[in-house]
Amino acid sequence: MILANISRFTGGWSKINKMGEQLKISRLGLARCVMTVGQSGYSKVLNQDFWRLCSLFSLTYSNVDSIKGKLTLSDTFNRLQQSEKTTVSYHLGMGLTKACSEILMKIPWLIHLKDISGVVLGTSLGQVPTKFQLYASKKTAREPDLIGFDSNKNSHVFEAKGYSSGVNTSELQHAIDQVSQVVAINGVPPSTRTVVYSDLSSSPFLVTIIDPEDNESHGYRIEFKFNSFLRSYYSVFADIEKWTDTLFEAEIGGYSFRVFPIGNSDYFFGIATYVLEQLKDVFHSDTTDSFSILNTVNQEILDDTLSIGYDGTILFNILSKSILHLK
């Protein structure tokens, strides 16, 4: 569980402002989100992505504790050098942004803008001035970190920040300015422009989530093919049979998953089989008529045994074998 301060969502998204001060995120769920939001691109799958997944899983579990269900930094984190803390905080901030996008907005897919192939980034009339100012920031605002899509293919813009030294007001304002820069994605204004600022010094973690006002005219106009987005997001599964020798089938809730051990033999990571089947077309085509995902089987169990994302990925502890059947 983490604490949340949510504000300024409007229109059909205004209900998010009232979704409470606590969000149910387990340590396992956070690890899954850190693993799936932080991919490094389709071209690196065969040689690097399995070990990257192990690294991101281990990074989360070695630096985050769950005390009575509340997420907090571990003693291991506190012994790190500052440069190491910065790297860990970055990844945790990204993972918490992914987790919040799932819980609040049911967004399956969230990825670094720079990792999407074929992006055309156009601008007009220069930098967009901020429309919502809380603090002063001397940084120049450019394009934000993350682009997401919901199951209706509506786009969302996110800027993620993670700090272990309290709230850096300049960075919070910079994040607000960053998301304010995007006027359109594939010709349509994004449904939301969301800042997720994670204060990791708080126990439990405290996230500040803000959606500044829309801009009307100028800023970045981002273009790319939706299939390029999906290929980048699911890149780790492109050749799943080639980069691990141990694949299992897990079953839960009538769904089948292809999974493999990650981190150590007690934990398994994978993807829904029917999503994997759809990806065969995505990886070899630039057009997708439809792409269905697990928007009805999202599981978040706070005893750290099982986490299933809206994107169809799964991470679980073998202790959950009473509800999972491995073949």
Side-chain angles (χ1 to χ4, degrees), residues 107-121:
I107 292 176
W109 308 296
L110 190 61
I111 194 171
H112 291 277
L113 175 62
K114 65 180 178 60
D115 286 338
I116 307 170
S117 62
V119 170
V120 177
L121 192 65

Side-chain angles (χ1 to χ4, degrees), residues 170-185:
S170 175
E171 288 295 338
L172 175 54
Q173 183 61 51
H174 179 59
I176 293 171
D177 297 343
Q178 290 278 92
V179 295
S180 299
Q181 300 306 304
V182 179
V183 65
I185 296 175

Side-chain angles (χ1 to χ4, degrees), residues 43-68:
S43 64
K44 300 180 181 179
V45 172
L46 292 179
N47 296 323
Q48 296 182 11
D49 276 5
F50 173 74
W51 301 112
R52 179 175 173 80
L53 288 171
C54 292
S55 173
L56 293 173
F57 173 84
S58 299
L59 177 145
T60 306
Y61 260 59
S62 62
N63 292 285
V64 177
D65 279 336
S66 179
I67 300 175
K68 295 183 178 180

Side-chain angles (χ1 to χ4, degrees), residues 163-226:
Y163 284 86
S164 63
S165 54
V167 177
N168 183 321
T169 57
S170 175
E171 288 295 338
L172 175 54
Q173 183 61 51
H174 179 59
I176 293 171
D177 297 343
Q178 290 278 92
V179 295
S180 299
Q181 300 306 304
V182 179
V183 65
I185 296 175
N186 294 337
V188 180
S191 295
T192 62
R193 300 172 175 88
T194 304
V195 170
V196 181
Y197 185 102
S198 300
D199 178 8
L200 306 175
S201 69
S202 175
S203 181
F205 297 153
L206 171 64
V207 294
T208 298
I209 303 172
I210 301 172
D211 181 9
E213 294 180 32
D214 293 346
N215 55 52
E216 297 91 359
S217 57
H218 60 281
Y220 287 96
R221 298 175 183 271
I222 302 170
E223 300 283 340
F224 53 82
K225 293 181 178 180
F226 185 65

